[in-house]
Amino acid sequence: MINRNEWVPADNFFLEQKASYSVKSMENLLVIAGPGTGKTEMLAQRANYLFETGICKEPYNILAISFKKDSASNLGERVKKRSSKSGDYRFDSMTYDALAKRVLDQFRNGLNITIRPDGDYLVQNETKLSEMVKEASQSYLLNSYCVNKTWREFSFLNPTINNVQKKLGNLMLHGTDKLQANLSYHGIMQLAIKIIETNPSIRYAFQVAYPFVFLDEFQDTTDLQYKFIKTLFLSSPVVITAVGDDKQRIMDFAGARKTIFLDFKNDFSADELHLSVNHRSAPQIINLQLSMYKSLQEDYNEVFYSGKWNKNEGEISLIQSLDDYEEAKKVAQDIMEKIHQGIKPNEIVILVKQRAEDYAPLIIDALKEKGIKARIESDYQSLIKEPLVKIILHSIMLSSTTSYTEDWQKYLSLYMESQGISDVEDERIIYDAEKALNEFLKSTSLMLNNKTTVKKLVQCIIDFWTVDFFQTTFPEYLHGSNLEETITSFINLMELEYQSGESWTEAVKSFVGDNSIPIMTIHKSKGLEFKAVYLIALDDNAFWSFKCNPDATRRALFVAISRAKQYLTFTFSESRFTTKHPGRQTHVLISEFYELIKRFVN
DNA sequence: GGTGCGTTCCTTTTT
DNA sequence: GGAACGCACC
C-alpha cells in the first residue's frame, strides 16, 4: 500500500494540476473535460490512486457508469492497464441499463407484488410490445407510430390514469398465455428506482459496496437516469466524480437533461473544476474551437496546447464546389494527397450532419477511382460488436496463426465456458480442451487454404460452437430471428471483403475497418479522434436544424471540429443532386459558421 | 394512378 | 429545409 502523499500517476503519466486534484478529491466533483483533455485517463488514474493508496480497500469497489457498452469497456480496460497488480482491482464499469437490470434482477422480490414482473421477462422486444399495446387497447386500428409511442411512454412510476395503461402495465409485467412478460429499458430503470426507493437496506448496501462512483459523459444524462443516480446516492457518504462537457451536449433531442450540471452541483453540493490541457488537437484547431466558445456560452476559456505541437501547426481548409459531383472529386483528391503523406485511411474520417447514406455514394465512388476504400461505418460497427461475429473473426484469425497470444487465451476460456468447464484446475481437462480447440482451428485453417466460401466457413464455425451455446451465452439470440439475421448480414458483408482482399487475414482486417475511411454522422463520432476530419456540406440544408435549434446545432459543429487532431476540412457545394428533383437544389453556406472559420482557412 | 395537401421525421443507446 | 409517406379527390 502506498502513502497517499507518495502516490505518483501510473506509468509515469503526466497529469495537469487540476487533473491531479480531481484524481485525489474526496468530495463530489463535476469535472468539465473539454475535447481531448483526457477524461478517461483521469478516471483511470483516480481508480489507480484509490486502490493503490488503500483508500478504496477490500471489500469496497468503484462503480463507473457509462451510456454505451463501448465506453464502459474502454474505461474498464484503461483501469486494468493502469493498475500494477493485475487482477486485484474492484472496478465495476457498466452502462446505466446494465446497472438498472442488475438491480431489478437481483432484488425483484423487493417490489410490491402489484408491480413485480415475471423473472423471465423479455427486454424490449419491440414487435411483441406492439402486440401488447394492441391487446391492451383491444384495437387493431392504431398505426405503428401510436403503438410505439404508447409503450415507449408508459410509466410504472406515475400512477396509471386509464384502463388501457393499467392493462398494458400488467401485460408488460406478466404477459399472457401467448405473450411473455416484456419490459422496455425505460421500464426496467423505473422498476429499479422503485426497488431502491422502497428498500432502504438495498440502497444502503449499494452505498457501502461502492464508496466511489464515476459518471461518464455526464452532459448526456436523461431525467430518468439522473433520478436513478439520486435515488441510489443522494445524501450519502458516496463520493461521486461526474465528468462531461456541456459544449458537447448533442443529445438534447433524445432527452438529455439541459440543466444537469447545475442540478448536480446543487443536489450533491459538488464543486466544478475544468481540465484545460488539450492533448489531442494542434494549436490552430484549438484556436478555432476557442473562437466558438462565445456562441456556446462558455465563459471558461483557459485551454493549453499539448507540448507535442508547434504553435502554427494544424490546417483548416474549405473546399468550395459548384455541385456535389465536383465536391466528391476534390475531396477524393485531397484525401489521396493525405494518404500519400503517410496518413492511414482509418486515421481519416468523413463526417456528415445527418443521413450518411445521402452524402456517401458520390464520395465513395470518387475515392474508389483512386483505389481508396470508404464505407458507412455504422453498417459495419453494429455487426462487429455482435458476440457471434467476434467469435467468427477470432476463429479465422487464430486459424491463420500459431502463436499463443492473449486472444488465444480469451478464446480458450470462452470455449471452456461453453463446455461447462470454466473453473476447473485439473490440468488434464484444460489440456483436452486446448487439444480439441487446436484441432478445430487446424480444420478451419485447411478450409481457409482451400478457398472455401464464407458461407461454408461460417456454418462450420457455428456448428463447432453450436447454436445452443450462442443462445444460452447471449440471450439476445434467443428470440426472433436475431441469430439468422446476424449470420446473413455478416456473410454478405464479409463476402465483399473476401472477394477484394488477397488473404483471409486481410479480409478480416478490412472487415474491422483497418483499410478504409469511415463515413459517419457527427453524433456517431462523439468521443473519437482522427488525424484528418472532412466535414461534408456546411450548408443550410444539411444543417437545417440551425434554424429551429441554433444552440444544439452549434454544439454539433463543435463536436465535429474537435475530433480533428491536425487537419480539418469543410466542404460547401452550391448545388446538390436530389433524387426527386432532376433539377438541382441550390444551397447557402451558413454565414455564422463561415464567419467563424474564414479567419483560420488558409 | 396522378396531384396536391398535410404530417412526420431527420441526429441514439441500452440485456 | 425537404424527403417520404398517407390520404382525399379526380
Side-chain angles (χ1 to χ4, degrees):
Chain A
M1 207 184 289
I2 302 170
N3 182 302
R4 61 180 82 178
N5 295 320
E6 284 162 15
W7 179 85
V8 288
D11 301 332
N12 287 320
F13 200 89
F14 168 77
L15 288 177
E16 63 170 295
Q17 201 200 341
K18 280 178 278 185
S20 185
Y21 181 88
S22 317
V23 161
K24 297 178 182 174
S25 171
M26 288 297 131
E27 307 289 330
N28 291 333
L29 207 58
L30 173 63
V31 182
I32 315 282
T37 50
K39 67 183 166 76
T40 309
E41 187 59 39
M42 189 278 286
L43 290 175
Q45 293 288 354
R46 177 166 169 77
N48 178 282
Y49 172 77
L50 295 171
F51 289 140
E52 298 282 309
T53 57
I55 296 171
C56 183
K57 57 176 184 281
E58 249 183 302
Y60 303 110
N61 310 274
I62 297 173
L63 175 65
I65 313 177
S66 311
F67 291 84
K68 300 202 271 181
K69 289 190 282 183
D70 261 11
S71 337
S73 54
N74 284 345
L75 185 55
E77 290 291 313
R78 188 77 68 91
V79 169
K80 212 187 247 179
K81 204 171 143 191
R82 293 287 181 249
S83 49
S84 54
K85 288 173 282 176
S86 55
D88 180 33
Y89 57 91
R90 300 167 304 282
F91 190 79
D92 288 339
S93 188
M94 62 184 92
T95 62
Y96 275 98
D97 289 302
L99 178 64
K101 187 164 192 298
R102 218 182 72 174
V103 170
L104 177 60
D105 291 347
Q106 209 170 340
F107 305 107
R108 197 165 48 91
N109 290 331
L111 281 170
N112 184 304
I113 191 86
T114 54
I115 52 163
R116 188 185 305 162
D118 292 355
D120 61 343
Y121 62 88
L122 297 174
V123 179
Q124 195 156 311
N125 183 311
E126 306 201 1
T127 340
K128 291 184 178 165
L129 276 166
S130 302
E131 283 173 40
M132 284 183 172
V133 173
K134 285 173 180 170
E135 171 100 28
S137 63
Q138 299 195 320
S139 153
Y140 290 81
L141 298 173
L142 292 172
N143 65 34
S144 63
Y145 173 73
C146 283
V147 168
N148 271 327
K149 198 175 145 160
T150 309
W151 68 256
R152 276 178 202 280
E153 291 180 359
F154 177 84
S155 169
F156 288 109
L157 290 179
N158 299 326
T160 15
I161 44 172
N162 63 44
N163 285 336
V164 173
Q165 285 184 332
K166 214 176 194 172
K167 203 167 168 190
L168 177 63
N170 268 321
L171 284 172
M172 286 168 134
L173 292 168
H174 306 297
T176 59
D177 301 345
K178 285 185 205 155
L179 292 163
Q180 206 174 334
N182 194 342
L183 300 171
S184 64
Y185 289 106
H186 215 70
I188 292 171
M189 191 169 288
Q190 289 173 334
L191 294 173
I193 289 172
K194 207 84 192 172
I195 289 171
I196 304 295
E197 268 177 359
T198 47
N199 296 274
S201 59
I202 297 175
R203 177 182 146 94
Y204 181 70
F206 263 92
Q207 294 172 358
V208 170
Y210 298 112
F212 298 97
V213 172
F214 300 172
L215 303 176
D216 200 12
E217 300 268 22
F218 194 57
Q219 76 281 356
D220 293 331
T221 310
T222 65
D223 290 338
L224 190 67
Q225 286 162 341
Y226 188 54
K227 185 171 178 146
F228 187 36
I229 293 299
K230 280 206 292 191
T231 312
L232 277 165
F233 302 119
L234 190 66
S235 315
S236 78
V238 172
V239 178
I240 299 183
T241 310
V243 185
D245 180 14
D246 228 11
K247 302 185 288 305
Q248 297 181 72
R249 199 186 73 233
I250 56 173
M251 302 301 285
D252 286 13
F253 75 96
R257 189 184 174 103
K258 294 182 181 64
T259 56
I260 189 77
F261 281 12
L262 200 63
D263 295 341
F264 178 70
K265 285 197 283 183
N266 291 334
D267 296 338
F268 288 85
S269 344
D271 271 341
E272 175 182 313
L273 190 145
H274 291 247
L275 300 185
S276 50
V277 179
N278 185 323
H279 303 277
R280 174 187 299 154
S281 302
Q284 286 306 310
I285 309 241
I286 293 177
N287 288 342
L288 173 59
Q289 291 170 26
L290 280 167
S291 74
M292 282 197 78
Y293 273 34
K294 200 174 171 192
S295 69
L296 296 167
Q297 287 132 47
E298 172 69 65
D299 303 326
Y300 185 89
N301 62 2
E302 201 178 47
V303 178
F304 299 104
Y305 315 136
S306 149
K308 66 187 169 195
W309 301 103
N310 288 324
K311 209 179 144 203
N312 294 321
E313 274 184 300
E315 273 180 46
I316 298 166
S317 39
L318 173 65
I319 294 179
Q320 285 182 276
S321 321
L322 291 174
D323 59 41
D324 44 356
Y325 183 73
E326 185 190 332
E327 175 184 83
K329 289 242 168 217
K330 285 180 173 174
V331 168
Q333 179 63 31
D334 203 84
I335 286 177
M336 193 181 68
E337 285 164 19
K338 294 266 180 346
I339 287 176
H340 284 164
Q341 284 170 34
I343 300 179
K344 294 192 192 102
N346 64 1
E347 294 176 311
I348 300 173
V349 73
I350 294 169
L351 295 182
V352 297
K353 176 64 174 51
Q354 277 160 226
R355 294 190 206 246
E357 61 280 9
D358 287 358
Y359 295 88
L362 284 180
I363 296 181
I364 291 178
D365 283 350
L367 284 166
K368 203 174 184 179
E369 270 180 36
K370 300 190 183 293
I372 301 165
K373 275 196 252 179
R375 65 188 201 183
I376 296 178
E377 196 58 21
S378 53
D379 295 351
Y380 289 78
Q381 279 306 318
S382 50
L383 216 50
I384 292 167
K385 286 179 195 156
E386 291 278 344
L388 172 83
V389 172
K390 282 187 186 166
I391 290 175
I392 294 174
L393 293 180
H394 269 116
S395 304
I396 298 175
M397 288 309 271
L398 290 167
S399 302
S400 327
T401 59
T402 44
S403 57
Y404 288 75
T405 55
E406 200 181 314
D407 278 351
W408 198 87
Q409 278 303 332
K410 274 191 205 161
Y411 192 76
L412 174 66
S413 50
L414 189 66
Y415 174 66
M416 304 221 311
E417 200 186 308
S418 80
Q419 299 298 301
I421 47 173
S422 52
D423 276 331
V424 287
E425 274 145 39
D426 189 340
E427 297 232 343
R428 230 181 93 200
I429 294 177
I430 299 175
Y431 176 80
D432 285 347
E434 273 185 45
K435 206 174 140 190
L437 203 54
N438 271 325
E439 263 163 35
F440 162 65
L441 291 175
K442 222 180 203 170
S443 70
T444 319
S445 171
L446 274 174
M447 284 184 85
L448 299 182
N449 292 333
N450 289 331
K451 298 227 174 282
T452 181
T453 63
V454 179
K455 199 173 174 180
K456 272 186 191 160
L457 181 72
V458 167
Q459 202 49 59
C460 171
I461 295 171
I462 290 173
D463 285 347
F464 175 75
W465 286 88
T466 74
V467 170
D468 191 57
F469 159 73
F470 286 115
Q471 293 188 325
T472 29
T473 319
F474 314 105
E476 65 258 44
Y477 296 133
L478 260 177
H479 299 283
S481 48
N482 280 347
L483 190 69
E484 270 317 301
E485 277 168 22
T486 307
I487 295 170
T488 324
S489 39
F490 173 75
I491 291 173
N492 288 340
L493 287 178
M494 189 65 186
E495 224 140 47
L496 289 177
E497 300 297 350
Y498 182 55
Q499 278 160 14
S500 57
E502 314 97 62
S503 69
W504 281 96
T505 334
E506 274 308 301
V508 171
K509 281 185 183 164
S510 287
F511 186 81
V512 299
D514 285 1
N515 304 319
S516 55
I517 296 171
I519 303 173
M520 62 179 90
T521 62
I522 293 174
H523 285 74
K524 286 245 161 59
S525 77
K526 193 162 62 101
L528 304 177
E529 57 177 29
F530 298 88
K531 195 144 195 178
V533 169
Y534 291 81
L535 179 61
I536 302 304
L538 202 65
D539 63 49
D540 59 345
N541 191 18
F543 283 81
W544 59 268
S545 61
F546 186 72
K547 276 209 175 103
C548 50
N549 197 344
D551 284 339
T553 311
R554 287 185 189 111
R555 290 194 295 266
L557 180 74
F558 182 74
V559 168
I561 66 175
S562 57
R563 301 308 95 203
K565 290 186 197 171
Q566 192 173 3
Y567 303 101
L568 177 59
T569 308
F570 301 95
T571 76
F572 169 74
S573 170
E574 283 181 18
S575 60
R576 259 169 224 288
F577 194 78
T578 58
T579 42
K580 195 159 184 180
H581 303 278
R584 298 197 159 213
Q585 298 284 313
T586 53
H587 295 284
V588 183
L589 182 55
I590 294 186
S591 61
E592 183 184 311
F593 292 170
Y594 180 64
E595 291 302 315
L596 205 69
I597 65 172
K598 74 175 179 195
R599 282 188 292 134
F600 298 93
V601 168
N602 338 41

